[in-house]
Amino acid sequence: MGEGIAQNFAQGGLSVRVFDQNTDILTRCFNQVGANLRLFAEFGLLPKEPSLILSRMEFHLARELEKKIKDCAFVVESIPEVLPQKRELFARLDSCHQDVILSSNTSSFTMSAIAEGMRTPGRVIGLHYFMPAHIVPLVEIHRGKNTADEVVEVTRQLMVKVGKKPVLVGKEVPGLIVNRIQTAMMREANYLVEQGVVTPEDFDMAARASYGFRLASLGPFAQLDINGLDTVMRGNEQIYKVLSNTTEPSPAIVEKVKRGELGLKSGQGYYDYRGKSKEQIIEERDRNLLKQLILFNQL
Ligand SMILES: NC(=O)c1ccc[n+]([C@@H]2O[C@H](COP(=O)([O-])OP(=O)(O)OC[C@H]3O[C@@H](n4cnc5c(N)ncnc54)[C@H](O)[C@@H]3O)[C@@H](O)[C@H]2O)c1
């Protein structure tokens, strides 16, 4: 995720310093951002040369963090989703200049949990990007119990400046907004597959060609208004009762994980990716998403 976030800031006109523990990862990041920018240029989405945007980025080892971060104004942490590791990093960041805003791309921890034990929790804020971070427009901004109002507002304005669509999450809730909705939807989708109602392939087509097709231009609440709320209410009365409310992961996913079928990274999941490179599949995905981004920007 880190490389997409770094690209987003550099594309938005800002100087960026990328830190990782590993030189190979920094090199991979440089190469991947270069390839991403060339794809943006091919789709006419880049006002400047890719090389000019890349020249705004510096790459450093994490051991140089304290030295190289001195004149930074905004930090985005995107290390693995392991709470002690995040807390250790925020403890290091606690000593940097008070004006620096410290954000985290965490998907599942509250910012109060990450900031626990810090002297300066008021400047800590959640900034949740979506994969691929350099393309998907949304970022969820979420605060900890001590986050200052001004920090929320500066972060929101910064996201607008770098071309994102920020949404504020009003309370500390696990999964924030989008992951809760995606998880609820996939609980039901897995249930329908288990019950023999639909295959994963047909479910994917049903989702893409119906509500997925509509969603980018018409939000679900706006859609309810068009449907008519009385009709919606009658539908809720019938359907809520029969939806899955399981609290366990899908048995099909548990089985696949046991067999080592982890999806794209292992070559097999719901689909078979063997015979195609991961890079090819990701580039194909990005090409389709960039076509959508052009349309989304016109809405
Ligand atoms: N993968 C997703 O789809 C996704 C989506 C939204 C948010 N997130 C969140 O983004 C964060 C990162 O996820 P990811 O999938 O990119 O993980 P990842 O494991 O692919 O990348 C993490 C990187 O952090 C580096 N790292 C580890 N410790 C470090 C340290 N102390 N200093 C500097 N670099 C360090 C690692 O070398 C690695 O390159 C997590 O909090 C995750 O929940 C992930």
Side-chain angles (χ1 to χ4, degrees):
M1 288 296 284
E3 67 199 22
I5 298 169
Q7 178 182 337
N8 174 228
F9 278 82
Q11 246 178 283
L14 300 164
S15 300
V16 181
R17 279 168 216 170
V18 181
F19 295 89
D20 202 289
Q21 290 169 326
N22 184 316
T23 317
D24 290 346
I25 292 177
L26 291 172
T27 308
R28 201 184 65 199
C29 176
F30 175 82
N31 291 335
Q32 186 60 52
V33 172
N36 292 346
L37 288 169
R38 285 190 290 280
L39 208 55
F40 265 70
E42 188 186 317
F43 279 81
L45 284 162
L46 214 58
K48 299 260 185 332
E49 279 295 302
S51 57
L52 194 139
I53 292 166
L54 263 177
S55 71
R56 295 181 187 140
M57 299 174 76
E58 286 178 21
F59 297 84
H60 300 286
L61 282 168
R63 64 167 180 260
E64 296 184 288
L65 186 69
E66 284 80 358
K67 197 165 78 187
K68 299 285 183 188
I69 214 172
K70 282 203 175 104
D71 55 343
C72 288
F74 197 92
V75 174
V76 189
E77 167 275 312
S78 190
I79 68 169
E81 193 73 350
V82 181
L83 189 56
Q85 286 185 27
K86 291 203 188 273
R87 280 196 178 139
E88 191 187 324
L89 182 55
F90 274 81
R92 277 174 79 185
L93 293 168
D94 206 11
S95 60
C96 71
H97 193 280
Q98 297 270 350
D99 293 342
V100 182
I101 293 179
L102 306 176
S103 75
S104 170
N105 184 38
T106 180
S107 307
S108 62
F109 302 124
T110 63
M111 293 317 296
S112 297
I114 289 177
E116 202 176 287
M118 286 178 69
R119 281 184 304 104
T120 60
R123 42 122 158 224
V124 173
I125 188 157
L127 189 61
H128 188 230
Y129 277 76
F130 292 82
M131 177 86 104
H134 60 297
I135 302 180
V136 179
L138 185 73
V139 283
E140 291 172 317
I141 296 180
H142 56 114
R143 56 195 306 168
K145 57 179 186 284
N146 295 307
T147 309
D149 291 344
E150 194 200 338
V151 169
V152 176
E153 188 47 29
V154 171
T155 304
R156 198 190 62 75
Q157 285 174 16
L158 181 62
M159 287 298 101
V160 172
K161 179 178 160 59
V162 298
K164 290 293 179 190
K165 302 277 182 218
V167 166
L168 298 181
V169 180
K171 283 190 178 169
E172 290 199 294
V173 286
L176 304 172
I177 304 164
V178 176
N179 282 351
R180 288 180 83 103
I181 300 305
Q182 289 190 145
T183 307
M185 182 181 77
M186 288 318 297
R187 174 166 66 180
E188 185 59 27
N190 275 303
Y191 176 72
L192 292 176
V193 171
E194 282 155 25
Q195 297 299 309
V197 175
V198 69
T199 62
E201 292 79 5
D202 277 355
F203 180 84
D204 277 357
M205 181 49 78
R208 290 174 56 211
S210 61
Y211 65 89
F213 178 78
R214 276 192 316 234
L215 278 176
S217 64
L218 192 68
F221 284 107
Q223 176 66 44
L224 294 189
D225 278 347
I226 290 175
N227 292 133
L229 299 185
D230 50 342
T231 306
V232 171
M233 184 187 73
R234 285 185 212 109
N236 288 174
E237 283 166 1
Q238 295 307 313
I239 296 176
Y240 276 11
K241 296 183 270 227
V242 296
L243 293 178
S244 168
N245 62 0
T246 181
T247 55
E248 299 300 321
S250 153
I253 293 191
V254 172
E255 268 311 303
K256 283 181 190 302
V257 171
K258 268 192 205 149
R259 288 200 297 268
E261 294 175 10
L262 306 181
L264 182 57
K265 63 181 162 190
S266 71
Q268 235 179 327
Y270 283 100
Y271 295 91
D272 190 345
Y273 303 97
R274 289 170 297 181
K276 257 188 170 181
S277 77
K278 188 178 167 197
E279 289 69 28
Q280 249 179 312
I281 290 165
I282 296 293
E283 186 182 323
E284 209 173 293
R285 176 203 66 179
D286 286 358
R287 283 182 176 278
N288 286 334
L289 288 177
L290 287 173
K291 286 181 211 158
Q292 280 178 232
L293 184 63
I294 291 168
L295 295 176
F296 187 78
N297 287 342
Q298 292 167 14
L299 297 173

